[in-house]
Amino acid sequence: MNNTIQLSIEDYISRGLHRKCYRHPNDPNKCIKVNYNVGAEDETNREISYYKHLIRRNVSFDAIAKYYGPVSTNYGKGHVFQLIRDYTGEIAIPLEKYLADTKLTKQYYDDLVTSLRNLKSALLKDRIITMTIKSKNILFQHLSADNRRLIIIDNIGNSTLIPIANYIPFFAKAKIERTWQRFLTSIIKENSNNKLITRLVDEVNQ
Ligand SMILES: Nc1ncnc2c1ncn2[C@@H]1O[C@H](COP(=O)(O)OP(=O)(O)OP(=O)(O)O)[C@@H](O)[C@H]1O
Ligand SMILES: [Mg+2]
């Protein structure tokens, strides 16, 4: 097992409910996600098999982080993804933070509206199906001092047993629309003390 990647506490970035995310020790633009609890495996396998489907379809990965394949690590099996960094080198911060803080919402208001619209268009263009879209699983990436975008890093794929939406564009688009509207409703609800969010969502929908 000499090609096992040795991860350490210094490589640790963050974790969600299922996976821990580490910097790739040999590539500053990649990260490695490792499952750390029971139940994580099903979700990870679903996401990876959907990523393989998207790679076969040759989509452009404007809306979601790229996937590079499995690796073996000292913490168990891992999966390598594109690590989303700002142009400053900092790891990009979730949209959740920008919506929870009125000052940040105000500062980036126009960019948030535009990048939310662009994210939806990119999902529709490539017909990318996601599970529930959550603002904690979308990063607001600063590409330069005045260019920003949103990119989804988690919960990609379709949980349906017979994923008709993976193959029939009409069903894919309908599913993306539904998931997107639920996402917009959720950000209003989660940020009820931020008065700017309702207006922001209205503008996104215009
Ligand atoms: N591609 C990435 N680029 C930068 N940071 C990332 C990336 N992927 C994950 N992270 C960071 O690691 C955290 C955990 O990763 P992820 O959301 O994939 O885990 P999870 O357990 O599947 O989450 P959830 O609880 O939403 O199911 C993220 O919230 C984010 O802070
Ligand atoms: Mg997550």
Side-chain angles (χ1 to χ4, degrees), residues 15-19 33 134 136-138 153-155:
R15 71 168 154 190
L17 298 171
H18 307 99
R19 303 184 285 189
K33 296 192 194 185
K134 297 175 187 163
K136 69 170 181 171
N137 290 326
I138 306 176
I153 47 126
D154 180 21
N155 249 1

Short mmCIF file of all heavy atoms in Angstrom, two decimals, residues 15-19 33 134 136-138 153-155, ligand 2:
data_model
loop_
_atom_site.label_atom_id
_atom_site.label_comp_id
_atom_site.label_asym_id
_atom_site.label_seq_id
_atom_site.Cartn_x
_atom_site.Cartn_y
_atom_site.Cartn_z
N ARG A 15 -15.76 19.81 7.87
CA ARG A 15 -16.56 18.61 7.66
C ARG A 15 -18.04 18.93 7.63
O ARG A 15 -18.49 19.97 8.10
CB ARG A 15 -16.28 17.60 8.76
CG ARG A 15 -16.83 18.03 10.11
CD ARG A 15 -16.77 16.87 11.05
NE ARG A 15 -16.71 17.35 12.43
CZ ARG A 15 -16.45 16.57 13.45
NH1 ARG A 15 -16.20 15.29 13.27
NH2 ARG A 15 -16.44 17.06 14.66
N GLY A 16 -18.78 18.00 7.01
CA GLY A 16 -20.24 18.09 7.03
C GLY A 16 -20.75 16.96 7.91
O GLY A 16 -20.03 16.48 8.79
N LEU A 17 -21.96 16.51 7.66
CA LEU A 17 -22.52 15.45 8.48
C LEU A 17 -21.95 14.07 8.12
O LEU A 17 -22.01 13.15 8.92
CB LEU A 17 -24.04 15.40 8.31
CG LEU A 17 -24.81 16.66 8.75
CD1 LEU A 17 -26.27 16.58 8.33
CD2 LEU A 17 -24.68 16.84 10.26
N HIS A 18 -21.40 13.95 6.91
CA HIS A 18 -20.94 12.63 6.45
C HIS A 18 -19.46 12.53 6.17
O HIS A 18 -18.87 11.48 6.31
CB HIS A 18 -21.66 12.24 5.16
CG HIS A 18 -23.13 12.33 5.25
ND1 HIS A 18 -23.86 13.40 4.78
CD2 HIS A 18 -24.03 11.48 5.80
CE1 HIS A 18 -25.13 13.21 5.03
NE2 HIS A 18 -25.27 12.05 5.65
N ARG A 19 -18.89 13.66 5.68
CA ARG A 19 -17.53 13.57 5.17
C ARG A 19 -16.62 14.62 5.78
O ARG A 19 -17.06 15.72 6.10
CB ARG A 19 -17.54 13.76 3.65
CG ARG A 19 -18.44 12.76 2.96
CD ARG A 19 -18.38 12.90 1.48
NE ARG A 19 -19.11 14.06 1.00
CZ ARG A 19 -19.34 14.29 -0.29
NH1 ARG A 19 -18.88 13.44 -1.20
NH2 ARG A 19 -20.01 15.35 -0.67
N LYS A 33 -12.04 13.96 0.09
CA LYS A 33 -13.14 13.79 1.05
C LYS A 33 -13.18 12.34 1.50
O LYS A 33 -13.13 11.42 0.68
CB LYS A 33 -14.47 14.16 0.41
CG LYS A 33 -14.54 15.62 0.02
CD LYS A 33 -15.96 16.01 -0.32
CE LYS A 33 -15.97 17.35 -1.02
NZ LYS A 33 -17.33 17.83 -1.27
N LYS A 134 -28.47 23.27 -0.68
CA LYS A 134 -28.37 24.01 0.59
C LYS A 134 -27.27 25.06 0.46
O LYS A 134 -26.22 24.78 -0.14
CB LYS A 134 -28.01 23.06 1.73
CG LYS A 134 -29.06 22.02 2.00
CD LYS A 134 -28.60 21.04 3.06
CE LYS A 134 -29.61 19.91 3.18
NZ LYS A 134 -29.06 18.76 3.87
N LYS A 136 -25.17 25.97 2.53
CA LYS A 136 -23.88 25.56 3.13
C LYS A 136 -23.06 24.72 2.14
O LYS A 136 -21.86 24.53 2.33
CB LYS A 136 -24.10 24.79 4.44
CG LYS A 136 -24.74 23.43 4.26
CD LYS A 136 -24.70 22.61 5.55
CE LYS A 136 -25.33 21.25 5.32
NZ LYS A 136 -25.16 20.32 6.40
N ASN A 137 -23.73 24.19 1.12
CA ASN A 137 -23.03 23.35 0.13
C ASN A 137 -22.73 24.07 -1.18
O ASN A 137 -22.43 23.45 -2.19
CB ASN A 137 -23.85 22.08 -0.15
CG ASN A 137 -23.84 21.14 1.05
OD1 ASN A 137 -22.84 21.06 1.76
ND2 ASN A 137 -24.94 20.46 1.27
N ILE A 138 -22.83 25.39 -1.13
CA ILE A 138 -22.47 26.21 -2.30
C ILE A 138 -21.40 27.19 -1.85
O ILE A 138 -21.56 27.85 -0.82
CB ILE A 138 -23.68 27.03 -2.81
CG1 ILE A 138 -24.88 26.11 -3.08
CG2 ILE A 138 -23.31 27.82 -4.06
CD1 ILE A 138 -26.14 26.87 -3.50
N ILE A 153 -20.69 22.14 -4.06
CA ILE A 153 -19.63 21.19 -3.70
C ILE A 153 -20.16 19.90 -3.08
O ILE A 153 -19.39 19.03 -2.70
CB ILE A 153 -18.62 21.84 -2.70
CG1 ILE A 153 -19.37 22.57 -1.57
CG2 ILE A 153 -17.74 22.85 -3.42
CD1 ILE A 153 -18.99 22.19 -0.23
N ASP A 154 -21.47 19.75 -3.00
CA ASP A 154 -21.99 18.59 -2.28
C ASP A 154 -23.45 18.34 -2.66
O ASP A 154 -24.16 19.26 -3.07
CB ASP A 154 -21.88 18.90 -0.78
CG ASP A 154 -22.38 17.79 0.12
OD1 ASP A 154 -22.45 16.64 -0.34
OD2 ASP A 154 -22.70 18.08 1.28
N ASN A 155 -23.88 17.06 -2.49
CA ASN A 155 -25.29 16.68 -2.72
C ASN A 155 -25.69 16.66 -4.19
O ASN A 155 -26.81 16.99 -4.55
CB ASN A 155 -26.24 17.61 -1.95
CG ASN A 155 -26.94 16.88 -0.82
OD1 ASN A 155 -26.70 15.70 -0.60
ND2 ASN A 155 -27.79 17.57 -0.10
MG MG B 2 -22.00 19.50 2.90
#
